[in-house]
Amino acid sequence: MRTVVHLAAPGEHAPTLEDRLARVAQGDQEAFSFVYDAVIGAVLGVARRVVRDPAQSEEVAQEVLLDVWRGAARFRPDRGSAMTWILTMAHRRAVDRVRSAQAATDREHRTAVREHTPEYDEVVEEVEARLEREQVRRCLRTLTEVQRRSVTLAYYRGCTHREVAGLLDVPLGTIKTRLRDGLIRLRDCLGVGA
Amino acid sequence: MTSADLHTMTGAYALHALDEDERREFEGHLVECPACAREVREFRATSARLAVAVAESPGPELKRRVMDEIATVRQLPPELPDRHSPTPVEPRRTRRVVVLVLAACLAAIGALGGVAIDRYRDARDAERAVAEQRARGAAIEAVITAPDAVGGSAPASGGGTVRVIASPALDRAVVLTSGLPTLPDARVYQGWYSDNGRMRSIGLIRPGTALLASGLDRASGVGVTVEPAGGSARPSGAPIVLIDLPAGRS
């Protein structure tokens, strides 16, 4: 089995992302610049998946990077890697954005109402067509169809488990289990540790 | 809910897919279930790989904007002093954000407006608003000048004109109004996509400004209604104007 890709691409004696983040916590803008370069592609990628709109996705990415700057001192290495911490925030922010209606319009117009209508076939196809990392694609294939659709709808489209259940026409309790089972399988296939 | 039931929620929780009540209940469980906490951490690391798998190259302006902005943004101290201070750290999120999450994809409507204002009250957003305004201008121009742009205009029933330009390739539409009558304080203009008569909100229209709407999809037209302040989930009356978009788009 192939080894896990090094997300922070540590080179010879190169500081890890966690090291950089510790410098950022002290106000080091140069360290922040390195962190930005290391994470922005994935941050923007997940924002684009969930939010879709390019301009709003960039807003989300910008908010996430500001969160990193502001909250660097609150990163807890004992709870996972810096990359995971940042990408969890990115997904959270992206999900907030699609669930909070058209936020940019809100600010201009006080409020706005938008429906968010996922189309799972399109998502799954698009996700699979464009996944850049062979390993992730291969591992997603090891999931059952319902597991895979559940995970991709929740993660890439930002759907709640209730919506996933509705879209796949599967009982809510089943979806919770499928999401978990799917993630377990994906975790094991990708060789992700705690 | 039993502890076994709660344990199955690790996946949905890690993917931010729980409703607010469930999320809170699960977080209560999480502090006493180290196995769950570990599983959530693993799932978060797993889902981070899903993000990396779809990484995209940002334009150079984004970095410039971010670097400019951090120079003016104060950093938070290490500890978590107060639940109500804004913090990016999971899982202790502010209630306001929780309310946003509750709103969900399923178009919960109601109090969103106030919540959104509250959320964006941060001082730093003032600066961002300028940059966003610039980006919106560019986005509107892109729709108007798109090679596949289609559109039309029609007089509104109470006076004034509404014009729509839509670009299927960009999945966006721009709605421009002119000469619409001023409404009483408690009323607003709201724009809608019509999917063969089924209306999807695209937001409130402030007369004199352009509304940039995404998610055009296969909308067959664009309409405008008069709604109570804050807007409605569905049109509460007949549209004052309904503009058909040319059919036959892919």
Side-chain angles (χ1 to χ4, degrees), chain B residues 2-25:
Chain B
T2 69
S3 150
D5 287 339
L6 280 166
H7 196 83
T8 64
M9 286 158 76
T10 47
Y13 177 78
L15 296 183
H16 304 123
L18 290 180
D19 302 329
E20 186 207 10
D21 289 349
E22 294 166 319
R23 186 191 59 75
R24 248 188 292 182
E25 187 179 12

Side-chain angles (χ1 to χ4, degrees), chain A residues 14 17 22-23 33 39 42 81 112 119 126 132-133 159 165 171 185 192-193:
Chain A
L17 198 54
R23 302 281 308 171
S33 171
V39 305
S81 73
E119 295 167 28
E126 182 190 314
E132 290 169 14
R133 302 237 177 195
C159 290
R185 206 178 273 198
V192 172

Side-chain angles (χ1 to χ4, degrees), chain A residues 90-161:
Chain A
H91 189 253
R92 173 83 265 174
R93 279 248 182 220
V95 163
D96 281 351
R97 178 62 69 112
V98 295
R99 291 184 196 169
S100 67
Q102 219 176 356
T105 310
D106 286 354
R107 265 162 284 164
E108 289 220 320
H109 303 283
R110 261 187 257 130
T111 186
V113 179
R114 266 189 74 72
E115 285 188 12
H116 177 67
T117 314
E119 295 167 28
Y120 65 82
D121 282 328
E122 180 208 356
V123 177
V124 173
E125 276 168 30
E126 182 190 314
V127 164
E128 295 200 340
R130 293 181 56 193
L131 279 183
E132 290 169 14
R133 302 237 177 195
E134 189 57 34
Q135 194 181 12
V136 170
R137 186 159 54 192
R138 185 173 56 76
C139 287
L140 277 173
R141 284 208 199 101
T142 68
L143 273 54
T144 68
E145 193 186 353
V146 174
Q147 287 173 353
R148 182 165 46 84
R149 286 185 162 181
S150 303
V151 169
T152 54
L153 278 171
Y155 191 75
Y156 286 128
R157 193 48 91 85
C159 290
T160 65
H161 64 321

Side-chain angles (χ1 to χ4, degrees), chain A residues 4-5 7 24-29 32-34 36-37 40-42 44-46 48-49 53-56 58-59 61-63 65-67 69-75 78-80 83-85 87-89 91-93 95-119 130-133 135-136 140 150-151 154-163 172 176-177 179-180 183-184 186-187 190 192-194, chain B residues 1 7-12 14-19 22-23 38-39 41-59 61-63 65-67 69-71 73-81 85-91 93 97 100-101 103-107 109 112-114 116-117 119-120 124-125 128 132-133 135-136 172 188 190 193 198-206 209-215 217 230-233:
Chain A
V4 174
V5 178
L7 301 178
V24 172
Q26 297 161 22
D28 185 333
Q29 295 188 16
F32 179 82
S33 171
F34 281 104
Y36 176 98
D37 292 339
I40 189 64
L44 191 61
V46 70
R48 283 292 292 274
R49 289 290 153 185
D53 177 81
Q56 288 203 43
E58 285 215 350
E59 286 174 30
Q62 192 170 344
E63 287 168 2
L65 269 297
L66 280 168
D67 283 345
W69 170 256
R70 294 170 75 234
R74 297 181 175 187
F75 166 65
D78 57 317
R79 291 194 186 166
M83 189 59 126
T84 296
W85 180 64
L87 293 178
T88 298
M89 289 194 290
H91 189 253
R92 173 83 265 174
R93 279 248 182 220
V95 163
D96 281 351
R97 178 62 69 112
V98 295
R99 291 184 196 169
S100 67
Q102 219 176 356
T105 310
D106 286 354
R107 265 162 284 164
E108 289 220 320
H109 303 283
R110 261 187 257 130
T111 186
V113 179
R114 266 189 74 72
E115 285 188 12
H116 177 67
T117 314
E119 295 167 28
R130 293 181 56 193
L131 279 183
E132 290 169 14
R133 302 237 177 195
Q135 194 181 12
V136 170
L140 277 173
S150 303
V151 169
Y155 191 75
Y156 286 128
R157 193 48 91 85
C159 290
T160 65
H161 64 321
R162 232 168 268 287
E163 291 169 314
L172 194 57
K176 281 180 202 159
T177 320
L179 275 175
R180 176 164 179 259
L183 282 170
I184 287 172
L186 202 52
R187 173 198 70 192
L190 290 169
V192 172
Chain B
M1 201 173 284
H7 196 83
T8 64
M9 286 158 76
T10 47
L15 296 183
H16 304 123
L18 290 180
D19 302 329
E22 294 166 319
R23 186 191 59 75
R38 180 189 164 90
E39 195 163 275
R41 285 198 299 273
E42 291 171 351
F43 287 169
R44 290 256 159 94
T46 303
S47 66
R49 299 290 302 278
L50 292 174
V52 172
V54 294
E56 295 191 10
S57 307
E61 334 73 60
L62 182 60
K63 181 165 187 180
R65 283 208 302 274
V66 171
M67 295 306 293
E69 202 166 354
I70 63 160
V73 170
R74 186 178 163 271
Q75 292 181 289
L76 299 171
E79 286 307 305
L80 294 174
S85 64
T87 161
V89 178
E90 285 273 1
R93 304 190 55 77
V97 175
L100 288 174
V101 173
C105 300
L106 293 176
I109 315 299
L112 265 181
I117 291 168
R119 183 179 171 203
Y120 286 97
R124 66 189 163 104
D125 283 307
R128 195 177 307 146
E132 280 170 17
Q133 194 56 42
R136 273 173 55 79
R172 284 177 157 179
V188 293
Q190 185 167 0
Y193 284 131
R198 188 171 169 273
M199 306 298 259
R200 275 189 285 147
S201 175
I202 54 177
L204 302 189
I205 295 171
R206 201 168 53 187
T209 66
L211 172 64
L212 174 67
S214 55
D217 202 4
S232 305

